[in-house]
């Protein structure tokens, strides 16, 4: 089971959970990235996400494929929000279900790191008087 | 030989378009194409150090030789979710 | 912010999330433990949780206190279900919010492990023809 | 001197009660009390090896000396959430 989705709407957390829940699985590890009200000492009013959609799908599929080779997991789901977001809203939710809790937590933590390095997603932060594309170091591959 | 170029984030804003079709030279590499297309808009060499590329939705190195019909994306530093 | 709750009803995941979400915080790490349909090779039809309620509150408070000394976290929440549960239902949900994702995931993973060792919770599994209290090794303190 | 004993899980089921009040001897330890109270119902020494104790909602060692009014809980292996 695999859910990889890009959405302009509020992320539906219950949909993410349902996508990975399974009677075989005792553990669901979830990571949610929310919009913070500050970054680098500046007050953030909101932001905008931009995604290279086709490559995003392909790259997240690869991440989940690698993940399944490293850990015993049952299902993975990732929903990325695009467009304009307010402070407090969720930009991303990742969930991993697994028979046992150790593998699920480890796999979920690994997935976020890979995602942040590799997924073609950009973020523009809006401040009181200006706006800026956030530059993180990236790895690519 | 033609390729399609995709622009995102600050590149898209600077260029003012999200995609263009472009003629390439036989044997032209990603790096050469990038210099032709982006150097006028981005004069600082530092910008290119942090730039990555994708060809047909896969990360590709700067020495990759382009082929007719390729879809080339310039990937400025990603910010993740 | 701290939510520690024992409930006979279905765990309300949105309540858990709301308890930890904060505009200062970019990351929410969540662990959910669901009832599996098997354990040790036996088919499980459902189970029963029993909790020493007063000590549970005290012990989870201690775990969260230790957690806040180890990681930069904003808020923690834990809801434990008691009584009879069916396969697929959530027995526990733990959530941790943090300014940055690394500390949140690590803290949440640590919290589960401590909880499983120390929280006075017992589990009786119901099979087709019998039932049994699940014996895990425990540490206590 | 009196203490309150709390029974959970398989101990509660075997004893048939979830709590009892009990007279203790001056200087009696948790371990001694446990032998008096639980050994008849749990003849296997292995059971006691995995047993923990709480006094007034805190984990306590087997050598802990009980005091009047203590609330003693026998903690068989926990299963977590």
């Amino acid at each position: 089971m695999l859910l990889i989705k890009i959405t302009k709407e509020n992320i539906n957390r219950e949909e993410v959970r349902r996508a990975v829940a399974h009677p075989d699985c005792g553990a669901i590890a979830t990571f949610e990235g929310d919009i913070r009200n500050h970054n680098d000492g500046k007050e953030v009013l909101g932001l905008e996400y931009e995604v290279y959609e086709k490559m995003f799908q392909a790259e997240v599929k690869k991440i989940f494929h690698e993940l399944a080779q490293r850990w015993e997991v049952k299902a993975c789901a990732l929903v990325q929000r695009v467009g304009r977001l307010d402070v407090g809203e969720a930009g991303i939710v990742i969930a991993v279900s697994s028979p046992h809790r150790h593998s699920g937590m480890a796999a979920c933590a690994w997935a976020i790191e890979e995602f942040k390095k590799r997924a073609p997603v950009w973020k523009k932060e809006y401040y009181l008087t200006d706006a800026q594309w956030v530059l993180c170091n990236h790895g690519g591959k | 030989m033609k390729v399609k170029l995709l622009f995102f984030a600050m590149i898209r804003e600077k260029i003012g378009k999200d995609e263009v079709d472009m003629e390439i030279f036989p044997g032209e590499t990603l790096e050469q194409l990038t210099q032709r297309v982006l150097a006028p808009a981005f004069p600082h060499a530092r910008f290119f150090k942090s730039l990555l590329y994708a060809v047909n939705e896969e990360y590709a190195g700067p020495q990759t030789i382009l082929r007719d019909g390729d879809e080339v994306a310039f990937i400025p530093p990603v910010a993740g979710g």
Side-chain angles (χ1 to χ4, degrees), chain A, chain B:
Chain A
M1 270 286 296
L2 200 65
L3 170 73
I4 302 172
K5 189 173 157 179
I6 297 167
T7 178
K8 287 190 174 134
E9 313 295 323
N10 265 314
I11 295 177
N12 181 337
R13 296 178 189 87
E14 191 47 31
E15 178 189 19
V16 178
R17 204 197 71 87
R18 269 200 315 270
V20 300
H22 192 281
D24 270 1
C25 282
I28 299 177
T30 306
F31 173 81
E32 174 177 330
D34 293 342
I35 311 312
R36 286 193 295 162
N37 58 10
H38 65 281
N39 189 20
D40 267 340
K42 285 173 108 168
E43 191 186 352
V44 173
L45 303 183
L47 54 78
E48 197 183 321
Y49 276 110
E50 182 170 334
V51 175
Y52 176 10
E53 302 213 0
K54 277 191 298 181
M55 183 177 168
F56 179 96
Q57 290 279 348
E59 200 62 26
V60 175
K61 226 173 258 174
K62 272 184 222 163
I63 291 171
F64 282 163
H65 184 72
E66 288 172 43
L67 182 150
Q69 292 178 316
R70 286 166 183 251
W71 287 280
E72 195 194 350
V73 300
K74 190 78 187 184
C76 303
L78 185 152
V79 179
Q80 168 75 49
R81 180 91 181 268
V82 286
R84 196 61 201 269
L85 276 80
D86 290 327
V87 168
E89 291 189 310
I92 185 171
V93 177
I94 305 183
V96 175
S97 63
S98 56
H100 301 287
R101 66 185 185 275
H102 294 101
S103 50
M105 288 300 291
C108 187
W110 180 85
I112 309 156
E113 297 311 313
E114 289 301 303
F115 180 85
K116 296 265 177 185
K117 275 188 281 188
R118 295 160 54 178
V121 177
W122 300 273
K123 180 152 94 173
K124 188 175 192 173
E125 285 182 341
Y126 287 83
Y127 316 110
L128 216 54
T129 57
D130 58 342
Q132 184 181 281
W133 289 96
V134 179
L135 295 182
C136 302
N137 289 329
H138 70 172
K141 248 201 133 172
Chain B
M1 297 208 304
K2 259 195 172 152
V3 296
K4 175 186 278 187
L5 306 184
L6 303 180
F7 306 124
F8 297 98
M10 65 290 273
I11 301 180
R12 175 180 53 70
E13 287 185 348
K14 200 84 168 238
I15 302 285
K17 288 175 187 165
D18 54 11
E19 60 174 81
V20 300
D21 288 323
M22 186 129 198
E23 284 287 336
I24 53 165
F25 305 113
E28 188 165 23
T29 64
L30 265 177
E31 197 164 35
Q32 290 166 335
L33 176 74
T34 305
Q35 286 305 316
R36 281 209 292 140
V37 175
L38 296 186
F42 294 91
H44 298 297
R46 202 165 139 268
F47 171 81
F48 296 97
K49 281 197 185 134
S50 65
L51 187 67
L52 296 180
Y53 313 93
V55 176
N56 304 325
E57 299 150 37
E58 299 232 10
Y59 282 107
Q63 300 312 318
T64 305
I65 292 169
L66 296 168
R67 290 175 306 183
D68 190 43
D70 278 346
E71 183 176 280
V72 175
F74 299 103
I75 314 269
V78 295

